[in-house]
Amino acid sequence: MLSRNHSEVYARRLRAVLIRSVPLLEARGIAVVILAGVVGVMAGILVTAMSQIVQDLHGLLFGVQPGGRLSGMFSLANPMQALIPAIGGILLGLTVIWLRLRKFRTPIDPIEANALYGGRMSLTDTFIIAGQTMISSGFGASVGLEAGYTQVGSGLASRLARIFQLRRNDVRILVGCGAAGAIAAAFDAPLTGAFYGFELVIGIYSVANVAPVMTAAISASLTAEMFGGVPFPLELSGLPALTASQYVPFLLLGLLGGAASIAIMQLVTLIERGFARLSIDASLRPVIGGVIVGLLGLITPQVLSSGHGALHREFAMNYGLAVVASVFVLKLAASAISLGSGFRGGLFFASLFLGALLGKAFAGVMTLVSPATGIDPAVAAVVGMTSLAVGVVGGPLTMTFLALESTRDLTLTGVVLAASIMSAILVRETFGYSFSTWRFHLRGETIRSAHDVGWMRSLTVGSMMRKDIKTIDASTTLATFRMQVPLGSAQRVIAVDPGDHYVGVLIVAELHSDRSDGEMAVRDLAKYQDAVLVPSMNVQAAAETFQRAGAEELAVVEDFTDRIVLGLLTEGHLMRRYAEELDKARRDLSGEG
């Protein structure tokens, strides 16, 4: 095993050799595009391999025929197969125990890496997530593989970027290229993959990002086709022409999709907390979840695994409203229980399937309530699919292009985009998170997108505060204060108790102009007694504290309990440093730095 120093030396030599042999690599922009193409090829190969491994597991464990899909089966061949998700839960539980013994931290996914760590990802995290995702989906848990796909694509892209010692922003772009390539390969949809990278992993669309991201997405899609990847077209034929009057019901469907996505995310959290309250070890929870999912699979295999076969079956068949609604409830329960009990995966494809079911149910209800609207069930399924997925995954353009590339029907694009925007607005204004960022919120992170906010963590109160502060005993009288601190000698003084415990801020000019009795203790005139900062606060948290207190200066204390005074920070200095760092980040993003 090479030491870290040896690895870095090897990486520098490799980069130097490649630059000498390929002069174009000296041009930064061209180098990123070339590396993006390499990343796309790797993502295409890995996505195809992961998908094939899971398909082979389905064939081995559930008897799925070649070319078939587990969720497309009408029933399980043997009732004993309902135990297979529980066996997968046992294997997943063993990995949980192993990770606990090895003291691994929580793996970092592409969005978190780009938001907080400049795109730096661990290959160990990558392999852990990929392996756990394949176990979960391969043994029938109701989760998708997309989280594993994007993890391997982005993880390898991050390592490649660091081998070539790319700048922070270029690393972030290449991580987005890895995710874009993974989604493009999974759905045979380059535009979908590209906008997944833009909207969800890089966090911004710019002209500088187009070439590398599109290169990665196209090369990944072509590679997946070359290696036998299964495309994702939805065969829709004979669709009626959409009229302007039908936009209103579809906009309503978009709002319903957004509301349903919020309910789904809350349900997963509720079930996860329910398992936690049972005081059952985390390694045993997937086993219990697997048993429940297996029982649901006895009712209909459509709830098992990601749901590719079930989605195609839903578009091919014309089920009644009661059947569609029951499958929706069962799939929702299976996905929420799978994730809540600890199976690894995501809601990307589950949200597509659930959205399609929601759309068909909506069309069925509209047929009963208002037959004159003439809502086509297939169109409603596509609109519902994208609307619900926008709320869960985020990225209205990503889902619009998925609908376009999977149906090949340009006439749907307008209504799909309109409904997706309605869903996105509802989720943003009432909830504020996608599924990924909601999970970060539950862990205590404040990430709402992949925008690079990692620099905020280094810009702390401790690094900005002034330590040369003047303090005075809070019991000092006003007359004595005026003698000890003449007007003009200082702008503010910190009042403290014996032991340097914070009492409040004294504004010198105000105390000299105060008409109160000179024997009054200065503690009675101290301001911001309940508002303090601590050194670990980042610039965002400090700015919020200033705003709540309505203060221009606040004391910095050691902690909120003892409140030992360490320094002082003014709002003006805070905002000036914030502006400087923000301007630097923007220059890095635009390539000026």
Side-chain angles (χ1 to χ4, degrees):
M1 182 68 68
L2 291 174
S3 68
R4 181 177 179 180
N5 289 337
H6 285 135
S7 298
E8 291 175 351
V9 170
Y10 176 76
R12 285 196 296 269
R13 289 177 179 174
L14 175 61
R15 182 173 185 270
V17 168
L18 287 174
I19 287 176
R20 286 197 300 270
S21 59
V22 187
L24 280 176
L25 290 178
E26 293 181 346
R28 171 181 155 262
I30 296 176
V32 174
V33 172
I34 293 173
L35 291 176
V38 174
V39 166
V41 172
M42 292 192 303
I45 293 172
L46 290 169
V47 166
T48 305
M50 290 175 64
S51 176
Q52 189 59 52
I53 290 171
V54 170
Q55 282 295 101
D56 291 343
L57 283 173
H58 289 168
L60 177 65
L61 300 173
F62 294 95
V64 177
Q65 297 301 310
R69 292 283 186 171
L70 173 58
S71 61
M73 297 172 65
F74 286 93
S75 63
L76 294 178
N78 187 332
M80 294 301 293
Q81 290 174 339
L83 295 175
I84 292 174
I87 297 173
I90 293 173
L91 295 177
L92 199 64
L94 292 175
T95 67
V96 171
I97 294 172
W98 180 76
L99 293 173
R100 186 186 299 159
L101 292 175
R102 298 294 296 270
K103 297 182 180 179
F104 278 104
R105 55 170 173 73
T106 302
I108 296 171
D109 78 353
I111 296 176
E112 185 178 6
N114 265 6
L116 298 179
Y117 305 108
R120 295 180 66 87
M121 296 176 66
S122 163
L123 280 183
T124 303
D125 289 357
T126 295
F127 295 137
I128 288 172
I129 290 179
Q132 289 182 329
T133 303
M134 286 189 290
I135 291 173
S136 299
S137 187
F139 280 77
S142 189
V143 294
L145 284 166
E146 290 75 23
Y149 292 158
T150 56
Q151 188 74 28
V152 296
S154 296
L156 290 174
S158 177
R159 176 53 60 92
L160 187 64
R162 282 183 285 154
I163 286 176
F164 284 89
Q165 299 178 352
L166 299 186
R167 301 185 325 174
R168 179 186 179 94
N169 189 57
D170 292 335
V171 176
R172 296 180 71 254
I173 291 175
L174 216 58
V175 167
C177 290
I183 295 299
F187 292 94
D188 190 23
L191 288 174
T192 301
F195 276 87
Y196 183 94
F198 291 136
E199 292 185 301
L200 301 173
V201 181
I202 298 175
I204 189 172
Y205 172 88
S206 69
V207 175
N209 297 343
V210 173
V213 174
M214 286 301 304
T215 298
I218 293 171
S219 60
S221 184
L222 293 174
T223 302
E225 289 182 10
M226 184 184 305
F227 283 91
V230 179
F232 178 69
L234 297 175
E235 300 298 337
L236 302 178
S237 59
L239 294 179
L242 295 173
T243 64
S245 63
Q246 291 176 330
Y247 268 62
V248 174
F250 284 131
L251 291 178
L252 175 60
L253 177 55
L255 292 174
L256 288 175
S261 68
I262 296 172
I264 289 169
M265 290 185 277
Q266 294 279 24
L267 178 62
V268 172
T269 303
L270 186 65
I271 291 177
E272 192 172 48
R273 288 174 176 169
F275 273 100
R277 289 194 187 98
L278 293 176
S279 299
I280 299 173
D281 189 81
S283 62
L284 297 176
R285 294 172 194 169
V287 182
I288 299 172
V291 170
I292 300 174
V293 171
L295 292 175
L296 295 174
L298 280 176
I299 302 174
T300 172
Q302 291 186 74
V303 306
L304 299 178
S305 194
S306 58
H308 283 75
L311 180 63
H312 284 277
R313 182 170 139 192
E314 192 60 43
F315 276 98
M317 308 290 284
N318 189 22
Y319 294 110
L321 178 59
V323 174
V324 171
S326 62
V327 174
F328 179 89
V329 172
L330 291 171
K331 179 63 177 180
L332 174 59
S335 295
I337 290 169
S338 295
L339 291 170
S341 63
F343 280 100
R344 175 70 72 174
L347 282 174
F348 191 114
F349 206 93
S351 66
L352 294 175
F353 181 37
L354 288 168
L357 293 170
L358 178 67
K360 281 212 166 183
F362 178 81
V365 171
M366 289 298 294
T367 300
L368 297 174
V369 174
S370 179
T373 54
I375 299 297
D376 184 84
V379 176
V382 174
V383 174
M385 178 182 80
T386 53
S387 298
L388 196 149
V390 163
V392 171
V393 179
L397 288 177
T398 299
M399 294 306 163
T400 300
F401 280 116
L402 178 60
L404 174 62
E405 292 181 294
S406 58
T407 64
R408 309 290 197 268
D409 193 323
L410 190 60
T411 60
L412 287 176
T413 305
V415 68
V416 165
L417 180 59
S420 296
I421 290 173
M422 295 300 291
S423 173
I425 291 174
L426 178 67
V427 174
R428 184 186 64 199
E429 296 298 327
T430 62
F431 190 62
Y433 299 93
S434 66
F435 184 65
S436 295
T437 55
W438 174 239
R439 307 289 280 178
F440 298 145
H441 170 73
L442 295 176
R443 281 169 34 198
E445 296 285 0
T446 57
I447 309 168
R448 289 182 180 266
S449 72
H451 285 286
D452 190 3
V453 295
W455 56 270
M456 286 189 183
R457 293 200 163 188
S458 60
L459 194 61
T460 62
V461 168
S463 67
M464 294 184 288
M465 70 179 185
R466 288 177 46 195
K467 297 181 181 179
D468 56 333
I469 56 171
K470 184 176 181 60
T471 61
I472 194 168
D473 193 307
S475 61
T476 303
T477 63
L478 181 57
T480 304
F481 174 87
R482 289 169 176 164
M483 288 188 293
Q484 293 182 359
V485 187
L487 190 63
S489 62
Q491 291 183 340
R492 61 193 66 83
V493 177
I494 306 296
V496 295
D497 277 342
D500 286 337
H501 301 285
Y502 174 75
V503 173
V505 176
L506 303 171
I507 309 301
V508 175
E510 291 183 5
L511 266 66
H512 275 273
S513 61
D514 193 279
R515 297 179 178 274
S516 301
D517 182 9
E519 297 303 313
M520 174 186 290
V522 293
R523 79 165 59 245
D524 297 328
L525 299 173
K527 303 179 68 174
Y528 318 128
Q529 297 185 29
D530 297 322
V532 291
L533 306 171
V534 293
S536 60
M537 276 185 173
N538 63 31
V539 62
Q540 184 178 7
E544 291 172 355
T545 304
F546 274 109
Q547 185 177 14
R548 286 195 303 269
E552 295 181 0
E553 54 275 309
L554 288 174
V556 182
V557 299
E558 190 172 309
D559 56 60
F560 289 116
T561 304
D562 294 331
R563 307 215 304 179
I564 305 297
V565 176
L566 300 177
L568 184 87
L569 181 63
T570 65
E571 185 181 29
H573 180 66
L574 170 84
M575 300 311 295
R576 185 164 55 253
R577 286 295 311 278
Y578 173 78
E580 290 171 356
E581 293 295 331
L582 183 60
D583 184 58
K584 179 181 176 183
R586 286 173 175 165
R587 288 200 307 272
D588 289 342
L589 188 63
S590 63
E592 297 174 6

